[in-house]
PDB file of all heavy atoms in Angstrom:
ATOM      1  N   SER A  29       7.326   0.491   2.640  1.00  0.00           N
ATOM      2  CA  SER A  29       8.787   0.557   2.632  1.00  0.00           C
ATOM      3  C   SER A  29       9.252   1.086   1.270  1.00  0.00           C
ATOM      4  O   SER A  29       8.855   0.540   0.237  1.00  0.00           O
ATOM      5  CB  SER A  29       9.358  -0.844   2.867  1.00  0.00           C
ATOM      6  OG  SER A  29      10.685  -0.920   2.409  1.00  0.00           O
ATOM      7  N   THR A  30      10.071   2.106   1.282  1.00  0.00           N
ATOM      8  CA  THR A  30      10.579   2.649   0.008  1.00  0.00           C
ATOM      9  C   THR A  30      11.439   1.606  -0.710  1.00  0.00           C
ATOM     10  O   THR A  30      11.511   1.600  -1.938  1.00  0.00           O
ATOM     11  CB  THR A  30      11.408   3.932   0.240  1.00  0.00           C
ATOM     12  OG1 THR A  30      12.452   3.640   1.176  1.00  0.00           O
ATOM     13  CG2 THR A  30      10.561   5.085   0.738  1.00  0.00           C
ATOM     14  N   ASN A  31      12.096   0.726   0.055  1.00  0.00           N
ATOM     15  CA  ASN A  31      12.934  -0.298  -0.580  1.00  0.00           C
ATOM     16  C   ASN A  31      12.102  -1.213  -1.478  1.00  0.00           C
ATOM     17  O   ASN A  31      12.542  -1.601  -2.566  1.00  0.00           O
ATOM     18  CB  ASN A  31      13.633  -1.156   0.489  1.00  0.00           C
ATOM     19  CG  ASN A  31      15.027  -0.645   0.807  1.00  0.00           C
ATOM     20  OD1 ASN A  31      15.330   0.524   0.556  1.00  0.00           O
ATOM     21  ND2 ASN A  31      15.867  -1.488   1.366  1.00  0.00           N
ATOM     22  N   GLN A  53       7.054   5.738   6.697  1.00  0.00           N
ATOM     23  CA  GLN A  53       6.973   4.326   6.303  1.00  0.00           C
ATOM     24  C   GLN A  53       6.232   3.565   7.408  1.00  0.00           C
ATOM     25  O   GLN A  53       6.513   3.761   8.592  1.00  0.00           O
ATOM     26  CB  GLN A  53       8.351   3.709   6.166  1.00  0.00           C
ATOM     27  CG  GLN A  53       9.208   4.304   5.062  1.00  0.00           C
ATOM     28  CD  GLN A  53      10.513   3.529   4.903  1.00  0.00           C
ATOM     29  OE1 GLN A  53      10.768   2.958   3.869  1.00  0.00           O
ATOM     30  NE2 GLN A  53      11.340   3.512   5.936  1.00  0.00           N
ATOM     31  N   GLY A  56       8.814   0.007   7.696  1.00  0.00           N
ATOM     32  CA  GLY A  56      10.214   0.234   7.360  1.00  0.00           C
ATOM     33  C   GLY A  56      11.049  -0.984   7.717  1.00  0.00           C
ATOM     34  O   GLY A  56      10.839  -1.606   8.756  1.00  0.00           O
ATOM     35  N   LYS A  57      11.968  -1.329   6.825  1.00  0.00           N
ATOM     36  CA  LYS A  57      12.779  -2.531   7.050  1.00  0.00           C
ATOM     37  C   LYS A  57      14.179  -2.157   7.490  1.00  0.00           C
ATOM     38  O   LYS A  57      14.826  -1.316   6.865  1.00  0.00           O
ATOM     39  CB  LYS A  57      12.896  -3.335   5.747  1.00  0.00           C
ATOM     40  CG  LYS A  57      11.609  -3.994   5.344  1.00  0.00           C
ATOM     41  CD  LYS A  57      11.799  -4.663   3.992  1.00  0.00           C
ATOM     42  CE  LYS A  57      10.491  -5.032   3.357  1.00  0.00           C
ATOM     43  NZ  LYS A  57       9.770  -6.088   3.992  1.00  0.00           N
ATOM     44  N   GLY A  58      14.622  -2.815   8.548  1.00  0.00           N
ATOM     45  CA  GLY A  58      15.998  -2.635   9.012  1.00  0.00           C
ATOM     46  C   GLY A  58      16.805  -3.884   8.727  1.00  0.00           C
ATOM     47  O   GLY A  58      16.286  -4.852   8.154  1.00  0.00           O
ATOM     48  N   ARG A  59      18.045  -3.851   9.153  1.00  0.00           N
ATOM     49  CA  ARG A  59      18.939  -4.970   8.932  1.00  0.00           C
ATOM     50  C   ARG A  59      18.467  -6.183   9.745  1.00  0.00           C
ATOM     51  O   ARG A  59      17.817  -6.030  10.768  1.00  0.00           O
ATOM     52  CB  ARG A  59      20.327  -4.542   9.423  1.00  0.00           C
ATOM     53  CG  ARG A  59      21.425  -5.162   8.675  1.00  0.00           C
ATOM     54  CD  ARG A  59      22.744  -4.512   8.981  1.00  0.00           C
ATOM     55  NE  ARG A  59      23.774  -5.451   8.629  1.00  0.00           N
ATOM     56  CZ  ARG A  59      24.486  -6.133   9.502  1.00  0.00           C
ATOM     57  NH1 ARG A  59      24.333  -5.933  10.781  1.00  0.00           N
ATOM     58  NH2 ARG A  59      25.397  -6.998   9.090  1.00  0.00           N
ATOM     59  N   TRP A  64      12.101  -0.931  11.140  1.00  0.00           N
ATOM     60  CA  TRP A  64      12.798   0.362  11.188  1.00  0.00           C
ATOM     61  C   TRP A  64      11.775   1.457  11.465  1.00  0.00           C
ATOM     62  O   TRP A  64      10.872   1.700  10.661  1.00  0.00           O
ATOM     63  CB  TRP A  64      13.526   0.611   9.864  1.00  0.00           C
ATOM     64  CG  TRP A  64      14.271   1.910   9.835  1.00  0.00           C
ATOM     65  CD1 TRP A  64      13.850   3.066   9.254  1.00  0.00           C
ATOM     66  CD2 TRP A  64      15.550   2.184  10.400  1.00  0.00           C
ATOM     67  NE1 TRP A  64      14.788   4.043   9.436  1.00  0.00           N
ATOM     68  CE2 TRP A  64      15.843   3.540  10.132  1.00  0.00           C
ATOM     69  CE3 TRP A  64      16.490   1.425  11.109  1.00  0.00           C
ATOM     70  CZ2 TRP A  64      17.021   4.147  10.548  1.00  0.00           C
ATOM     71  CZ3 TRP A  64      17.668   2.030  11.516  1.00  0.00           C
ATOM     72  CH2 TRP A  64      17.920   3.372  11.235  1.00  0.00           C
ATOM     73  N   ASN A 116      26.963  -0.803   8.926  1.00  0.00           N
ATOM     74  CA  ASN A 116      26.044   0.039   8.135  1.00  0.00           C
ATOM     75  C   ASN A 116      25.442   1.191   8.934  1.00  0.00           C
ATOM     76  O   ASN A 116      24.440   1.751   8.518  1.00  0.00           O
ATOM     77  CB  ASN A 116      24.903  -0.828   7.562  1.00  0.00           C
ATOM     78  CG  ASN A 116      23.975  -1.320   8.655  1.00  0.00           C
ATOM     79  OD1 ASN A 116      24.404  -1.511   9.797  1.00  0.00           O
ATOM     80  ND2 ASN A 116      22.726  -1.495   8.335  1.00  0.00           N
ATOM     81  N   LYS A 124      23.023   5.813  17.325  1.00  0.00           N
ATOM     82  CA  LYS A 124      22.725   5.602  15.905  1.00  0.00           C
ATOM     83  C   LYS A 124      21.793   6.691  15.383  1.00  0.00           C
ATOM     84  O   LYS A 124      20.716   6.924  15.922  1.00  0.00           O
ATOM     85  CB  LYS A 124      22.072   4.224  15.738  1.00  0.00           C
ATOM     86  CG  LYS A 124      21.715   3.884  14.317  1.00  0.00           C
ATOM     87  CD  LYS A 124      21.636   2.387  14.101  1.00  0.00           C
ATOM     88  CE  LYS A 124      21.058   2.029  12.759  1.00  0.00           C
ATOM     89  NZ  LYS A 124      21.259   0.629  12.395  1.00  0.00           N
ATOM     90  N   GLY A 127      20.954   4.465   9.135  1.00  0.00           N
ATOM     91  CA  GLY A 127      21.362   3.112   8.771  1.00  0.00           C
ATOM     92  C   GLY A 127      21.107   2.860   7.292  1.00  0.00           C
ATOM     93  O   GLY A 127      20.394   3.632   6.631  1.00  0.00           O
ATOM     94  N   VAL A 128      21.679   1.777   6.805  1.00  0.00           N
ATOM     95  CA  VAL A 128      21.615   1.454   5.375  1.00  0.00           C
ATOM     96  C   VAL A 128      21.210  -0.006   5.206  1.00  0.00           C
ATOM     97  O   VAL A 128      21.718  -0.876   5.919  1.00  0.00           O
ATOM     98  CB  VAL A 128      22.998   1.661   4.712  1.00  0.00           C
ATOM     99  CG1 VAL A 128      22.919   1.403   3.211  1.00  0.00           C
ATOM    100  CG2 VAL A 128      23.535   3.035   5.000  1.00  0.00           C
ATOM    101  N   ILE A 146      18.233   4.051   2.590  1.00  0.00           N
ATOM    102  CA  ILE A 146      18.927   4.881   3.577  1.00  0.00           C
ATOM    103  C   ILE A 146      17.907   5.516   4.509  1.00  0.00           C
ATOM    104  O   ILE A 146      16.920   6.109   4.049  1.00  0.00           O
ATOM    105  CB  ILE A 146      19.698   6.023   2.875  1.00  0.00           C
ATOM    106  CG1 ILE A 146      20.685   5.426   1.891  1.00  0.00           C
ATOM    107  CG2 ILE A 146      20.324   6.975   3.871  1.00  0.00           C
ATOM    108  CD1 ILE A 146      22.087   5.830   2.056  1.00  0.00           C
TER     109      ILE A 146
HETATM  110  C1  BTN B   1      19.444  -0.617   9.584  1.00  0.00           C
HETATM  111  O1  BTN B   1      18.931  -1.568  10.179  1.00  0.00           O
HETATM  112  O2  BTN B   1      20.323   0.067  10.110  1.00  0.00           O
HETATM  113  C2  BTN B   1      19.038  -0.271   8.167  1.00  0.00           C
HETATM  114  C3  BTN B   1      17.911   0.703   8.145  1.00  0.00           C
HETATM  115  C4  BTN B   1      17.498   1.116   6.744  1.00  0.00           C
HETATM  116  C5  BTN B   1      16.229   1.942   6.756  1.00  0.00           C
HETATM  117  C6  BTN B   1      15.897   2.499   5.408  1.00  0.00           C
HETATM  118  S1  BTN B   1      14.649   3.743   5.469  1.00  0.00           S
HETATM  119  C7  BTN B   1      14.503   3.731   3.740  1.00  0.00           C
HETATM  120  C8  BTN B   1      14.616   2.281   3.292  1.00  0.00           C
HETATM  121  N1  BTN B   1      13.338   1.629   3.329  1.00  0.00           N
HETATM  122  C9  BTN B   1      13.273   0.668   4.242  1.00  0.00           C
HETATM  123  O3  BTN B   1      12.273  -0.040   4.468  1.00  0.00           O
HETATM  124  N2  BTN B   1      14.447   0.559   4.867  1.00  0.00           N
HETATM  125  C10 BTN B   1      15.413   1.512   4.367  1.00  0.00           C
END
Side-chain angles (χ1 to χ4, degrees):
S29 159
T30 55
N31 265 21
Q53 296 186 118
K57 290 175 195 291
R59 211 168 159 254
W64 180 260
N116 69 330
K124 180 156 170 166
V128 183
I146 302 235

